[in-house]
Amino acid sequence: MKLKTLKFGALVAASALALTACGSGSTDSGSDAAADDKKLNIAVFNGWDEGIATSELWKAVLEEKGYEVELINADVAPLFQGLSTGDYDVTTDVWLPVTHASYLEKFGKDIVDLGAWNEESRLTVAVNEDAPIDSLDELAANADKFGDRIVGIEPGAGLTEAMNKSVIPDYGLDDMNFVTSSTSAMLTELETATKNKENIVVTLWEPHWAYSAYPVKNLKDPKGALGDAEGMHNFSRADFADDHAEVAKWMGDFKMDLDTLYDLENLLFVENDTDDLQPLVKQWMEDNRDFVDGMTK
């Protein structure tokens, strides 16, 4: 009798253990799914500081809401490719209707426009404030005063495409050397020219903190080769809203004017020299708590 009781007890214990294991497995699976729902990445254009600033801001804001956010830097073409294939979840710095139009033609059917968060941006060609010209239509005749060089940014950037397709041919600048490498290299040349009190022509855009850091002016564009004011949009992979409806809504409703953006950029890139931006972003968030709280309503 004792033997049967022990065997029965062992059977009950084993069954209970099996049920516990099953229950534990189901709970873990649910926890994993819930954890996955709180994980996302933001793809960031290399060198485009308004995109870096807004991405760092969204990372900190979403982490306050319990999300786990990874920032991934990429050049323009790989970023659009990765967004279209679902490798990236969202990006904050797509310029329309002109700057990134060619990428939208190629990848637009596989990505989603969550909305424009600012519509005051523009592509520019800038020179030092005391340069002897004020307009792009004066540049060709005065090219020698600028070393016959225009200093650009990344070769794959929409701004670089606009220069090659419109600005250079429209204003007869084919004899000038259009140098492209990276935004950081352009800014280094701009800083050096400023220190040496030399003339320089660079491709720039508004908004950019360089307008606060250096004495520069935009050249007028009477032919409209650089286009009109553009919108900066949040874009996502095709099914992002299915997985992160809350975040998609927040990013779709997001608005930020240039004054607010410049305030953030100046703190991150002008007033401080560091690659560790999150502590500065969190400082800015505390100083702008009403704005930050409005991002997730």
Side-chain angles (χ1 to χ4, degrees):
M1 188 69 177
K2 288 182 180 178
L3 182 59
K4 289 183 179 179
T5 303
L6 286 172
K7 285 182 178 179
F8 179 77
L11 181 61
V12 170
S15 299
L17 183 61
L19 289 171
T20 301
C22 290
S24 175
S26 299
T27 301
D28 287 345
S29 177
S31 298
D32 290 344
D36 287 341
D37 287 343
K38 289 290 187 177
K39 290 182 180 179
L40 60 96
N41 63 57
I42 300 174
V44 188
F45 287 122
N46 285 326
W48 285 61
D49 287 320
E50 72 283 351
I52 294 171
T54 51
S55 297
E56 292 278 0
L57 177 59
W58 273 111
K59 172 180 168 66
V61 168
L62 291 173
E63 286 179 345
E64 277 193 346
K65 294 293 185 179
Y67 287 86
E68 183 180 330
V69 182
E70 180 185 8
L71 301 184
I72 304 174
N73 294 313
D75 287 332
V76 180
L79 190 151
F80 277 101
Q81 174 71 37
L83 204 61
S84 73
T85 57
D87 295 318
Y88 303 142
D89 288 316
V90 67
T91 190
T92 70
D93 203 19
V94 176
W95 283 43
L96 293 174
V98 176
T99 304
H100 292 131
S102 62
Y103 294 100
L104 266 293
E105 288 175 10
K106 185 173 183 179
F107 300 109
K109 69 181 188 317
D110 298 315
I111 58 180
V112 175
D113 185 356
L114 298 177
W117 53 269
N118 181 286
E119 297 187 86
E120 305 167 88
S121 56
R122 64 178 61 249
L123 303 179
T124 63
V125 175
V127 295
N128 46 295
E129 197 170 50
D130 58 352
I133 64 172
D134 296 302
S135 178
L136 277 165
D137 59 9
E138 300 175 272
L139 183 53
N142 292 276
D144 59 324
K145 296 182 172 103
F146 298 89
D148 293 301
R149 295 173 80 243
I150 302 171
V151 184
I153 56 171
E154 288 77 10
L159 174 53
T160 301
E161 182 180 28
M163 289 295 295
N164 285 321
K165 286 189 173 181
S166 301
V167 176
I168 290 173
D170 287 0
Y171 289 102
L173 305 176
D174 304 84
D175 292 335
M176 295 188 74
N177 183 19
F178 181 35
V179 181
T180 60
S181 58
S182 68
T183 300
S184 60
M186 177 274 291
L187 291 169
T188 298
E189 290 214 36
L190 178 57
E191 182 173 5
T192 301
T194 300
K195 288 180 179 177
N196 295 336
K197 301 186 184 306
E198 298 171 344
N199 291 327
I200 188 170
V201 185
V202 298
T203 62
L204 251 178
W205 62 94
E206 294 183 283
H208 198 286
W209 57 264
Y211 288 97
S212 298
Y214 305 109
V216 295
K217 64 182 179 182
N218 292 335
L219 292 180
K220 296 175 184 175
D221 179 18
K223 297 182 179 180
L226 287 165
D228 297 323
E230 295 202 65
M232 293 180 282
H233 294 238
N234 291 324
F235 264 76
S236 75
R237 58 177 166 85
D239 53 355
F240 179 74
D242 294 334
D243 300 328
H244 301 286
E246 182 178 56
V247 179
K249 180 185 183 304
W250 290 341
M251 297 190 81
D253 293 339
F254 178 55
K255 302 294 178 187
M256 188 182 227
D257 62 35
L258 287 187
D259 287 342
T260 306
L261 178 59
Y262 273 130
D263 186 57
L264 176 59
E265 284 195 7
N266 285 338
L267 178 65
L268 300 185
F269 308 121
V270 179
E271 297 169 12
N272 295 278
D273 184 15
T274 178
D275 292 329
D276 186 11
L277 299 180
Q278 278 295 295
L280 294 173
V281 169
K282 289 172 183 175
Q283 173 190 326
W284 188 89
M285 288 168 63
E286 289 309 308
D287 293 339
N288 296 270
R289 181 47 63 180
D290 288 344
F291 177 85
V292 169
D293 289 344
M295 291 173 64
T296 54
K297 285 186 177 178

